[in-house]
Amino acid sequence: MILLDRVTKKYSKKSPDALTSVSLHVEPKEFVIVVGTSGAGKSTLMKLLTREEKPTSGKIIVGGIDYDRLKDRDIPRLRRKIGVVFQDFKLLPNRTVFENVAFALEIVGMSKAEINHTVPKVLDLVGLKGKEKQFPDELSGGERQRVAIARAVVRQPKILIADEPTGNLDPKHAWDIVNLLLKINRYGTTVLLTTHNQEIVNKLKRRVITIKDGTIVQDRAKGGYKE
Ligand code: ADP
């Protein structure tokens, strides 16, 4: 599903590598936690996958798409395969919950009838039934993150990247979000989660990749745990 072969990223000639020769293989339907201190290179890794950034060297293949062969016109197709959520939600403040999610479908040209059919289903999945008409500032942090997740998965991506999605949430809401990511993973989506929350890392018993100074220093398989 995701393949990185000796990927190095330098943001400028003078700066040190943000990532150095990172190789990684993630199977379809895996749930992978990426950890590392601030500046380790986690966001850079995520940005390379979404093609927000290009590697300085090395190979990236995601969902059968070889990034070396990617044309600009292929990028929307790639982005449809990858949903992304962030720590700060990035919702549209002047749109309702329903409209925030619908927007992700409008921009790919889905008909109004299809949108009206699809959005309630995904809001139900994330536990936001009844909140359709509310605006982001009328919601709790956990609810806002649910809207962001609904928007990220409404086009049924193969991969969901969650970059510190619990960073702004209290422990209860953080766990609600993690449980939602697990549910989405059970439905067959590959999930990449970056987090600083050690309790989440310990309790989840999933594959954990540790990045330090731009390299993978540990890759602890799910099977490495006694369940
Ligand atoms: P993390 O997400 O683990 O905190 P990042 O991937 O954001 O780490 O950063 C890795 C390194 O790359 C850091 O040294 C950071 O300063 C640098 N970096 C990140 N983004 C940029 C950028 N747009 N321009 C220059 N340097 C950057």
Side-chain angles (χ1 to χ4, degrees):
M1 174 62 46
I2 298 173
L3 193 72
L4 272 76
D5 185 22
R6 287 163 290 169
V7 169
T8 293
K9 173 67 184 176
K10 239 182 192 332
Y11 283 98
S12 69
K13 276 199 177 127
K14 284 185 192 155
S15 64
D17 293 352
L19 290 177
T20 307
S21 196
V22 166
S23 295
L24 175 67
H25 184 205
V26 177
E27 299 277 355
K29 303 182 183 180
E30 258 194 284
F31 190 113
V32 180
I33 305 171
V34 179
V35 298
T37 52
S38 184
K42 304 180 297 297
S43 300
T44 300
L45 172 64
M46 302 303 177
K47 284 179 189 159
L48 290 171
L49 294 175
T50 56
R51 201 55 168 181
E52 227 177 291
E53 294 288 347
K54 289 183 181 178
T56 311
S57 62
K59 202 162 194 56
I60 303 177
I61 302 176
V62 175
I65 301 177
D66 181 342
Y67 284 19
D68 286 338
R69 302 213 180 115
L70 204 61
K71 306 260 181 346
D72 283 349
R73 64 166 188 274
D74 299 326
I75 289 178
R77 188 166 62 93
L78 172 75
R79 299 249 163 94
R80 248 167 271 165
K81 283 184 189 262
I82 308 177
V84 189
V85 294
F86 305 95
Q87 178 168 353
D88 58 357
F89 321 127
K90 299 196 194 298
L91 300 176
L92 299 165
N94 300 322
R95 293 186 185 232
T96 64
V97 167
F98 185 98
E99 289 164 351
N100 263 278
V101 179
F103 187 64
L105 300 176
E106 284 165 17
I107 57 176
V108 293
M110 194 184 263
S111 73
K112 216 173 158 73
E114 266 183 292
I115 290 173
N116 288 337
H117 177 72
T118 307
V119 174
K121 283 204 281 191
V122 77
L123 288 178
D124 196 17
L125 170 84
V126 302
L128 284 177
K129 215 174 176 174
K131 305 261 178 191
E132 294 83 355
K133 292 188 175 147
Q134 290 190 249
F135 287 89
D137 67 0
E138 298 169 334
L139 303 173
S140 71
E143 287 169 337
R144 282 180 212 174
Q145 195 56 290
R146 285 167 187 276
V147 180
I149 292 173
R151 183 183 56 184
V153 301
V154 70
R155 293 188 309 220
Q156 299 186 304
K158 297 270 182 275
I159 301 167
L160 178 62
I161 292 177
D163 197 359
E164 286 283 348
T166 62
N168 281 339
L169 305 178
D170 61 42
K172 187 198 168 295
H173 285 123
W175 274 107
D176 287 346
I177 293 303
V178 170
N179 286 326
L180 178 56
L181 296 176
L182 289 169
K183 181 169 158 187
I184 288 164
N185 178 243
R186 281 198 298 276
Y187 284 132
T189 305
T190 307
V191 175
L192 287 189
L193 165 68
T194 77
T195 183
H196 277 113
N197 186 323
Q198 198 56 45
E199 190 199 328
I200 290 174
V201 176
N202 294 340
K203 284 199 177 157
L204 275 191
K205 299 187 171 38
R206 298 298 178 126
R207 182 176 174 191
V208 182
I209 291 169
T210 308
I211 302 186
K212 191 179 174 201
D213 298 334
T215 60
I216 294 179
V217 292
Q218 194 178 38
D219 188 348
R220 201 172 57 180
K222 184 188 175 194
Y225 288 93
K226 283 191 178 139
E227 302 217 342

